[in-house]
Amino acid sequence: MQALLIDILSDTPRTDEIARPQNLLAAMRHGSLNGGKRLRPFLVAESARLLGGDPKAALRVGAALECIHCYSLIHDDLPAMDDDDIRRGQPTVHKAFDEATAILAGDSLLTYAFDIIAAPETTLPDRNKTELVLALARAAGAGGMAGGQALDLQAERQAPDEAGIVTLQAMKTGALLRFACEAGAIIAGSSKQDRERLRLFGQKIGLAFQLADDVLDITSDAATMGKATGKDAGRGKGTLVALNGMEWAEKRLEELTTEAVDLLAPYGAAAQTLQQAARFVANRQN
Ligand code: GRG
């Protein structure tokens, strides 16, 4: 993954590109090559492997998804959004460069994601590529992650109820994780039933991921997380943990993990790694 991203973000312009400004590329590298768990590409690779999809294509789709994830972090850290100085234990992109460069680095990573999938090096049938582009656009756009971020900003002015928080989180964090798992089925050209199963698995993981994040915001520290903690309470932000308490959150995390693991039971031992990933998401420490 790292080698592929380094190659994609090289200074050398590709066919039909005019030039690659070095400062912009450096900012994109800063925001995408400096650490990170690479959870989303891992889920793409593993869900594709489970269903017999091409591993090289899965790696490229994983890289595309990671570019979108990194763009979202760069923009989320901007003063107009979450206003953070540290991400992945490093200065955020607007701190290491400047705000305008951080905006453009995010824009360019977002755009590269679709370049990576559409490029001839992603050796999948056109039909599968189109489905991937459509599913990723919907996961990242106004009806997915970006829309979730808009609802999150709105929530600072008017606290949503529990259903509102679940919707916001399913969009802001869940949509990309759901896509990560569904992408494996699209890459493999799987049946509707397999695709739906992986999509549901991704949905459970998405809910668990955000719930764990809300717990860690209270229980962890900046050194472990590589970013500021205690921000939700500081802003009086309505999270499911704030609403229902820590004991409820721990029980809900267990429920979601069991539901996710059970969804993959029909695949037997071949699904073990994805099932472990579901446990990791709920029990992660950063
Ligand atoms: C700006 C359009 C736009 C969207 C921002 C992703 C996001 C939406 C905001 C990030 C805020 C946040 C901390 C959300 C909690 C869940 C989350 C996405 C955490 C970071 O993901 P990890 O833990 O990060 O997978 P690494 O660094 O490991 O890749």
Side-chain angles (χ1 to χ4, degrees):
M1 171 59 42
Q2 190 77 354
L4 178 58
L5 282 173
I6 289 172
D7 179 57
I8 288 163
L9 299 174
S10 86
D11 284 334
T12 317
R14 301 292 205 265
T15 314
D16 294 329
E17 286 184 341
I18 298 157
R20 288 187 168 196
Q22 280 194 9
N23 191 50
L24 178 59
L25 265 293
M28 291 164 76
R29 287 188 210 111
H30 183 92
S32 60
L33 300 177
N34 284 339
K37 294 183 283 299
R38 307 298 195 217
L39 173 66
R40 292 151 194 82
F42 173 82
L43 292 171
V44 176
E46 271 306 309
S47 57
R49 192 192 55 75
L50 178 69
L51 299 170
D54 174 26
K56 266 178 88 178
L59 191 69
R60 289 185 62 82
V61 175
L65 180 54
E66 188 68 8
C67 284
I68 294 201
H69 169 58
C70 293
Y71 123 72
S72 79
L73 299 181
I74 295 171
H75 280 194
D76 184 66
D77 290 334
L78 285 166
M81 300 240 188
D82 234 24
D83 194 10
D84 274 305
D85 296 350
I86 300 287
R87 166 75 61 184
R88 294 171 167 173
Q90 311 261 354
T92 46
V93 176
H94 67 275
K95 285 282 166 192
F97 294 79
D98 56 66
E99 274 183 47
T101 307
I103 292 170
L104 291 170
D107 292 343
S108 306
L109 282 166
L110 168 62
T111 315
Y112 267 142
F114 297 101
D115 180 325
I116 295 167
I117 294 176
E121 291 87 343
T122 304
T123 51
L124 286 173
D126 285 347
R127 193 195 137 108
N128 301 41
K129 285 191 188 185
T130 310
E131 278 186 35
L132 285 163
V133 164
L134 183 62
L136 183 53
R138 299 226 167 133
M145 180 183 69
Q149 180 76 348
L151 292 178
D152 200 38
L153 293 171
Q154 210 171 293
E156 284 177 19
R157 294 187 296 274
Q158 196 183 355
D161 60 10
E162 182 157 356
I165 298 174
V166 172
T167 302
L168 176 171
Q169 296 189 341
M171 292 168 74
K172 183 179 118 167
T173 320
L176 286 199
L177 288 162
R178 193 188 68 193
F179 170 82
C181 300
E182 190 179 2
I186 306 176
I187 292 163
S190 303
S191 66
K192 241 177 141 178
Q193 200 190 11
D194 279 330
R195 183 166 166 178
E196 186 52 28
R197 196 173 278 282
L198 266 294
R199 188 179 152 89
L200 261 178
F201 173 77
Q203 213 162 297
K204 303 277 179 204
I205 284 200
L207 289 173
F209 187 94
Q210 183 60 55
L211 193 50
D213 209 72
D214 293 343
V215 169
L216 288 169
D217 190 66
I218 298 168
T219 59
S220 194
D221 53 72
T224 314
M225 294 296 283
K227 64 176 184 182
T229 53
K231 293 199 76 168
D232 296 344
R235 288 181 177 181
K237 197 163 167 183
T239 68
L240 293 179
V241 185
L243 217 60
N244 298 316
M246 198 60 89
E247 217 173 291
W248 173 90
E250 272 155 21
K251 197 161 152 269
R252 182 75 186 123
L253 276 170
E254 264 173 46
E255 274 169 15
L256 286 165
T257 310
T258 306
E259 286 165 15
V261 166
D262 289 352
L263 270 168
L264 300 191
Y267 304 110
Q272 263 174 13
T273 317
L274 278 180
Q275 289 168 325
Q276 273 164 14
R279 291 189 191 98
F280 165 78
V281 161
N283 298 317
R284 72 200 171 91
Q285 299 303 315
N286 69 23

